[in-house]
Amino acid sequence: MANLTDLVNLNLSECTNMIIAEYIWVGGSGIDLRSKARTVKGPITDASQLPKWNYDGSSTGQAPGEDSEVILYPQAIFKDPFRRGDNILVMCDCYTPQGQPIPTNKRHNAAKIFNHPAVAAEVPWYGIEQEYTLLQKDVNWPLGWPVGGYPGPQGPYYCAAGADKAFGRDIVDAHYKACLYSGINISGINGEVMPGQWEFQVGPSVGISASDEIWVARYILERITEVAGVVLSLDPKPIMGDWNGAGAHTNFSTKSMREAGGYEVIKKAIEKLAIRHAEHIAAYGEGNERRLTGHHETADINTFKWGVANRGASIRVGRDTEKEGKGYFEDRRPASNMDPYVVTAMIAETTLLWKP
């Protein structure tokens, strides 16, 4: 007699050429992820082979009840680490039945920017450092912290090992391997300064693919924490006081920056970012004012400054970039709950298309 685990792990390829496609989209809050599955004929090797689908937008805060249909357009596919086999995860964006992007569809505008000839010619690379906090279910308090109390002060936890310093490593490692399995360009993980907080990095990835990968990596992490009975938080300052916040530092380079003389190109790009500082801050995540205080490795939210190897700056340039005269820079302002479509496209638009 088969048990539940046997049935969950059934190998469908032994009996059918049909596969399961899990359609994923960003919900009405702009940070929540929704998904549902459908059966399609496999194998699927490109998102263009998949049909559009629909869902009830009135139940996600994305459409009124009297006209609730929202259409899902498949945009990127990944191997499904949960069902495995030929089954896939599908990153979608959302449109009205008339084909207009709905307000929470930030991918549509990002795609227009990345398809602009001046942007595409520069082959923009992104490396996104996604910080997050694991919370104990029901009490919404960081994993490993005494309920209602606090651990010892920051210092021993960053990149640490040990049962009294690293909390949730099994979740982190499961996520790391699941992302690699899926085809996400995940490049590393580490424990963060605040206990219960971790980071994974995606990239370098070109153009809009970096954002597709971050969203699907977030989805996979949500699913793994669901199994583990732990809550994922992308709040940029989950615990007030003398504790580090959570960001999504975004590393960026263009073809011109990566070539000889690129350091001068980087400095000109930073000058543009300085002029549009307020606009970028407004688009870099909710609650970021609680994180960007000028303390805990941040620049004050109202102040723009850049520097070499300065983790208290808005924009940090690495020592290697300065020494070699080419490379990349890191925008340290985005919050952990930022929309990567918005942030990556805005950096490209400001540095490559915008004229002061």
Side-chain angles (χ1 to χ4, degrees):
M1 181 71 175
N3 60 31
L4 187 59
T5 300
D6 294 332
L7 295 172
V8 167
N9 293 323
L10 277 174
N11 183 357
L12 298 180
S13 64
E14 295 176 351
C15 58
T16 180
N17 62 357
M18 306 304 283
I19 66 166
I20 301 171
E22 188 80 26
Y23 281 45
I24 303 165
W25 69 97
V26 180
S29 72
I31 190 64
D32 60 311
L33 284 160
R34 309 293 180 116
S35 75
K36 62 177 185 172
R38 68 180 298 166
T39 307
V40 296
K41 187 175 181 180
I44 298 293
T45 58
D46 190 84
S48 62
Q49 298 172 263
L50 290 163
K52 296 172 185 175
W53 204 9
N54 65 74
Y55 68 93
D56 172 17
S58 69
S59 296
T60 62
Q62 293 172 294
E66 63 273 13
D67 187 14
S68 64
E69 192 168 284
V70 178
I71 311 301
L72 293 168
Y73 286 31
Q75 298 292 359
I77 61 171
F78 301 85
K79 292 173 65 177
D80 186 337
F82 304 103
R83 296 186 176 105
R84 290 172 284 186
D86 290 331
N87 304 300
I88 55 175
L89 304 177
V90 186
M91 190 65 210
C92 304
D93 59 354
C94 306
Y95 296 80
T96 67
Q98 293 74 37
Q100 297 300 310
I102 65 173
T104 52
N105 178 356
K106 306 303 182 185
R107 192 186 192 281
H108 179 78
N109 183 64
K112 288 197 295 185
I113 290 171
F114 286 117
N115 288 331
H116 190 288
V119 176
E122 282 289 346
V123 195
W125 289 3
Y126 294 90
I128 301 175
E129 305 169 33
Q130 176 68 70
E131 295 178 338
Y132 60 93
T133 308
L134 298 175
L135 304 178
Q136 301 169 58
K137 191 180 176 185
D138 300 324
V139 295
N140 283 328
W141 201 240
L143 197 66
W145 291 35
V147 176
Y150 297 86
Q154 295 184 154
Y157 309 107
Y158 174 69
C159 294
D164 59 341
K165 295 180 286 292
F167 310 117
R169 190 183 297 275
D170 52 345
I171 293 169
V172 175
D173 202 45
H175 175 251
Y176 194 178
K177 292 178 179 178
C179 286
L180 285 170
Y181 176 92
S182 294
I184 291 168
N185 189 20
I186 187 169
S187 47
I189 55 100
N190 62 267
E192 269 303 331
V193 177
M194 189 184 87
Q197 192 177 88
W198 295 81
E199 173 185 301
F200 67 87
Q201 303 96 32
V202 165
S205 298
V206 178
I208 205 164
S209 63
S211 299
D212 289 335
E213 290 174 2
I214 280 287
W215 274 119
V216 175
R218 286 175 174 179
Y219 174 81
I220 291 172
L221 187 53
E222 287 276 19
R223 288 282 302 273
I224 290 171
T225 54
E226 172 188 322
V227 173
V230 171
V231 175
L232 169 65
S233 172
L234 296 181
D235 190 295
K237 188 73 173 179
I239 303 294
M240 297 304 293
D242 194 17
W243 305 98
N244 275 35
H249 301 158
T250 301
N251 299 275
F252 175 71
S253 71
T254 63
K255 184 173 180 288
S256 297
M257 294 175 188
R258 296 187 293 269
E259 295 176 345
Y263 192 31
E264 293 304 314
V265 179
I266 288 171
K267 287 193 282 188
K268 289 177 182 176
I270 292 172
E271 289 174 6
K272 289 184 174 183
L273 290 167
I275 296 169
R276 298 191 75 192
H277 175 64
E279 294 171 67
H280 279 254
I281 287 294
Y284 273 16
E286 294 295 324
N288 214 9
E289 71 284 350
R290 293 182 281 116
R291 168 180 163 262
L292 297 180
T293 61
H295 303 288
H296 303 108
E297 301 181 70
T298 69
D300 179 80
I301 194 168
N302 297 310
T303 303
F304 182 93
K305 60 180 180 179
W306 75 278
V308 176
N310 183 358
R311 296 185 183 276
S314 311
I315 303 291
R316 181 184 68 87
V317 174
R319 290 284 183 203
D320 287 347
T321 295
E322 180 189 41
K323 181 180 178 181
E324 296 175 13
K326 60 183 180 179
Y328 68 96
F329 66 81
E330 175 192 44
D331 191 338
R332 296 178 60 81
R333 297 171 294 174
S336 50
N337 60 7
M338 63 85 162
D339 186 327
Y341 293 131
V342 173
V343 170
T344 58
M346 196 170 193
I347 292 172
E349 181 184 31
T350 295
T351 59
L352 296 172
L353 301 179
W354 183 70
K355 306 296 182 185

